[in-house]
Amino acid sequence: MEKKDLDWGNLSFAYMHTDYSYVCNYKDGAWEEGGLTSDHTVTLSECAGLLHYCQEVFEGLKAYTTENGDIVCFRPDMNAQRMYDSAARLEMPSFPKDKFVEAVEMVVRANAAWVPPFGSGATLYIRPFMFATGDVIGVKPATEYQFRILVTPVGPYYKGGVKPVKLQVPEFDRAAPHGTGNIKAGLNYAMSLHPSVIAHSKGYADNLFLDPQTRTYVEETGGANVLFVKKDGTLVVPQSFTDSILPSITRRSLVDVAEKMLGMTVEQRPVRFDEIDQFVECGMCGTAAVISPVGQIDNGDQSVVYGMEHVGPVMKKLRETLTGIQSGAIEDQFGWVHKIDVE
Ligand SMILES: *Cc1c(COP(=O)(O)O)cnc(C)c1O
């Protein structure tokens, strides 16, 4: 298989269409067989449920080349499960989990020429998504849906090495208490765009949202979970008592790495905002960057500083261990790296 002629080292995080997408429709109470398409557009009824009542959920994962040349992705079964749960919360038909993993394999295999080579730092971003295509005018769930997967090659998250970023506490909330903050739905992003644009205009990488009920506890950023480290090296993972934190696969993997590989103590509990100045490191975690170190958090005219000059040793170790497992440099004792056979 001949790779596409792309400048792999200089890709940005932008969409470019590849050879194939995967598409599968739901109609009359069942998912059809599904398969590849080279049509990268979607034609919808003007009355599609997606356009009026926002029935849409999505996932994000990546395929990449390991040191020995295998094309792999990371824990796709976890994305399948999360999308299953997200769909159920929005009264959408859940896409079968085995079929999800098979669809990811099928679309990556068909686009193998677009999977960046090892060492480029680039990956093939995989975006599964599902939306209501059926007509609805009265408020109710649609009866027809489309599940799709698009893939697009993207550059490394950090071009010039990993650098700490700043966060601010915004005046807005990301999710309602016991609302949809714990599912991966476009609607959670629609309402975070305004605070996100404000944060960026002030020089912050993202917002650190507090619990929407009391504004006392730390939740997460617009698109990543957060982690802290105590002076004694304990990893502190914020939990939400209003169920409004998205269950990050990266975060859950890092907790396993910390406990089972690095012998660290992990505390998963609600974390008060007024205790974060007791911590010595902070990081954001998600598929794109694995861990982005956070050097400073501002709330009005108060600042908590962890250091903008260097990456803390615990975040560095966690990041290196998980990226090492992903690349094949460190043995994968968990069975997380999922090989995709390409002939
Ligand atoms: C996708 C997402 C994350 C990160 O989840 P991963 O599975 O680690 O990529 C965190 N927070 C929000 C709000 C997200 O949408």
Side-chain angles (χ1 to χ4, degrees):
M1 171 259 315
E2 186 136 351
K3 291 285 177 192
K4 297 288 167 179
D5 183 22
L6 295 182
D7 185 3
W8 300 107
N10 286 302
L11 294 171
S12 59
F13 200 91
Y15 170 70
M16 89 174 59
H17 66 68
T18 57
D19 293 337
Y20 297 101
S21 291
Y22 175 90
V23 60
C24 184
N25 292 303
Y26 180 90
K27 203 179 169 172
D28 300 326
W31 288 102
E32 67 174 19
E33 173 70 20
L36 300 170
T37 176
S38 56
D39 183 354
H40 300 286
T41 62
V42 176
T43 302
L44 282 176
S45 161
E46 64 184 359
C47 210
L50 165 68
L51 302 177
H52 301 275
Y53 307 125
C54 290
Q55 279 186 294
E56 190 267 359
V57 295
F58 68 98
E59 275 302 323
L61 66 163
K62 53 199 186 183
Y64 52 95
T65 310
T66 59
E67 202 159 0
N68 65 9
D70 289 344
I71 291 180
V72 302
C73 58
F74 187 71
R75 308 188 76 180
D77 53 310
M78 298 287 275
N79 298 95
Q81 179 67 54
R82 190 168 62 189
M83 190 156 177
Y84 198 92
D85 298 338
S86 297
R89 176 65 176 79
L90 296 190
E91 287 296 331
M92 302 167 74
S94 288
F95 196 72
K97 288 174 265 179
D98 292 348
K99 200 174 165 82
F100 178 104
V101 175
E102 284 163 22
V104 166
E105 290 176 339
M106 190 189 296
V107 72
V108 171
R109 192 177 293 126
N111 291 294
W114 297 88
V115 179
F118 178 76
S120 62
T123 58
L124 186 72
Y125 186 72
I126 305 169
R127 166 57 59 86
F129 56 115
M130 190 205 292
F131 49 92
T133 52
D135 292 341
V136 273
I137 198 80
V139 178
K140 60 173 188 288
T143 56
E144 293 178 13
Y145 294 85
Q146 183 165 107
F147 171 89
R148 258 183 117 84
I149 306 178
L150 70 83
V151 298
T152 194
V154 294
Y157 196 82
Y158 287 106
K159 287 241 161 84
V162 183
K163 277 226 181 71
V165 297
K166 282 188 196 179
L167 302 178
Q168 68 149 7
V169 175
E171 58 176 306
F172 299 96
D173 295 319
R174 189 187 80 90
H178 310 288
T180 54
N182 61 352
I183 63 165
K184 214 167 173 72
L187 54 86
N188 289 326
Y189 279 80
M191 33 70 63
S192 73
L193 292 176
H194 180 55
S196 160
V197 168
I198 294 172
H200 290 158
S201 74
K202 295 200 281 183
Y204 295 101
D206 208 335
N207 288 303
L208 178 64
F209 291 98
L210 302 185
D211 78 280
Q213 194 156 307
T214 68
R215 293 269 181 98
T216 311
Y217 293 88
V218 173
E219 295 237 301
E220 64 170 320
T221 71
N225 284 181
V226 291
L227 307 166
F228 296 97
V229 179
K230 291 210 289 202
K231 277 198 194 81
D232 68 0
T234 301
L235 185 68
V236 180
V237 183
Q239 259 180 357
S240 170
F241 52 84
T242 52
D243 231 357
S244 35
I245 296 180
L246 195 283
S248 158
I249 296 164
T250 314
R251 182 249 298 170
R252 287 177 282 166
S253 304
L254 287 166
V255 166
D256 282 342
V257 164
E259 285 182 329
K260 297 177 185 146
M261 289 181 70
L262 304 177
M264 293 169 58
T265 305
V266 180
E267 284 176 14
Q268 306 202 60
R269 59 169 173 88
V271 173
R272 289 193 325 278
F273 183 74
D274 69 10
E275 65 176 304
I276 69 167
D277 59 357
Q278 305 294 307
F279 301 138
V280 294
E281 291 183 43
C282 177
M284 302 194 272
C285 65
T287 294
V290 180
I291 294 181
S292 299
V294 175
Q296 181 172 332
I297 300 175
D298 292 352
N299 182 22
D301 48 19
Q302 288 176 301
S303 289
V304 175
V305 179
Y306 301 107
M308 295 300 294
E309 300 309 317
H310 70 288
V311 181
V314 177
M315 290 300 161
K316 183 160 184 280
K317 183 79 188 163
L318 282 169
R319 186 171 196 281
E320 283 173 359
T321 309
L322 189 56
T323 55
I325 293 171
Q326 290 179 336
S327 71
I330 296 176
E331 193 199 328
D332 171 22
Q333 59 178 248
F334 304 103
W336 288 342
V337 177
H338 184 92
K339 185 173 173 197
I340 296 169
D341 290 314
V342 181
E343 46 286 281

